[in-house]
């Protein structure tokens, strides 16, 4: 993502927005909390406060640039909106998050919604369990 994406989303290009967008882009395969983003800013020597990080992430969410997830027992985490639907598996031991997409599950959810006369506009599936690494520790 770039500065033009900010403009396209109707946001003014500012240093904090640009830096936060860069961090999210550099960590695009992770789900980051506001504190994670703030920590990366500090490590990079940027003078952007935690309140600004929260405010910018909220603006990004409203503009559709990021998606916020509140997985059970965890704080809110953000990921860049890649424009592709996917679901999540969350490890209840280490907190790791795996993304997945399964066309059969997606089709089945559409069918279930249709059978119930429901016009499906969005959905979220989160599976909780123990990841391979945590299962191997026992």
């Amino acid at each position: 993502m770039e500065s033009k994406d900010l403009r396209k989303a109707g946001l003014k290009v500012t240093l904090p927005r640009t830096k936060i967008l860069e961090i999210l882009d550099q960590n695009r395969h992770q789900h980051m909390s506001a504190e994670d983003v703030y920590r990366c800013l500090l490590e990079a020597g940027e003078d952007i406060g935690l309140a600004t990080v929260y405010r910018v992430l909220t603006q990004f969410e409203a503009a559709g640039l990021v998606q916020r997830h509140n997985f059970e027992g965890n704080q809110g985490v953000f990921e860049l909106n890649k424009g592709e639907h996917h679901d999540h598996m969350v490890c209840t031991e280490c907190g790791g998050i795996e993304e997945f997409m399964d066309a059969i599950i997606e089709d089945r959810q559409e069918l279930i919604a249709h059978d119930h006369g429901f016009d499906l506009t969005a959905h979220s599936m989160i599976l909780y369990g123990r990841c391979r690494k945590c299962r191997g520790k026992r």
Side-chain angles (χ1 to χ4, degrees):
M1 293 215 149
E2 301 172 7
S3 296
K4 67 179 168 117
D5 295 308
L6 290 173
R7 280 190 223 90
K8 193 187 305 182
L11 295 171
K12 186 176 172 186
V13 178
T14 64
L15 181 67
R17 287 179 182 151
T18 303
K19 293 296 181 184
I20 291 169
L21 192 61
E22 284 175 10
I23 287 171
L24 291 171
D25 195 42
Q26 291 166 1
N27 296 280
R28 67 177 31 241
H29 300 292
Q30 295 181 31
H31 296 76
M32 300 183 76
S33 68
E35 289 79 9
D36 294 333
V37 173
Y38 177 65
R39 199 172 310 109
C40 288
L41 288 167
L42 287 178
E43 289 170 4
E46 300 294 339
D47 187 25
I48 298 171
L50 182 57
T52 300
V53 172
Y54 274 106
R55 186 173 53 254
V56 168
L57 288 172
T58 300
Q59 293 166 348
F60 283 1
E61 180 184 14
L65 293 174
V66 299
Q67 293 178 313
R68 177 197 304 252
H69 302 285
N70 287 55
F71 300 122
E72 194 171 300
N74 288 337
Q75 61 190 353
V77 292
F78 299 84
E79 66 176 324
L80 285 177
N81 184 353
K82 302 166 197 147
E84 304 163 348
H85 173 75
H86 60 269
D87 296 301
H88 298 91
M89 292 182 283
V90 179
C91 180
T92 55
E93 287 191 29
C94 70
I97 302 167
E98 295 281 331
E99 296 178 353
F100 72 96
M101 203 311 237
D102 185 294
I104 294 171
I105 291 173
E106 297 301 317
D107 291 344
R108 185 74 182 127
Q109 289 175 117
E110 287 284 341
L111 182 62
I112 290 167
H114 179 267
D115 287 350
H116 287 85
F118 199 78
D119 182 21
L120 190 63
T121 56
H123 78 275
S124 174
M125 177 184 283
I126 305 168
L127 305 176
Y128 295 94
R130 290 185 6 248
C131 69
R132 181 175 293 132
K133 191 168 61 174
C134 289
R135 280 193 339 264
K137 290 179 186 176
R138 292 185 184 240

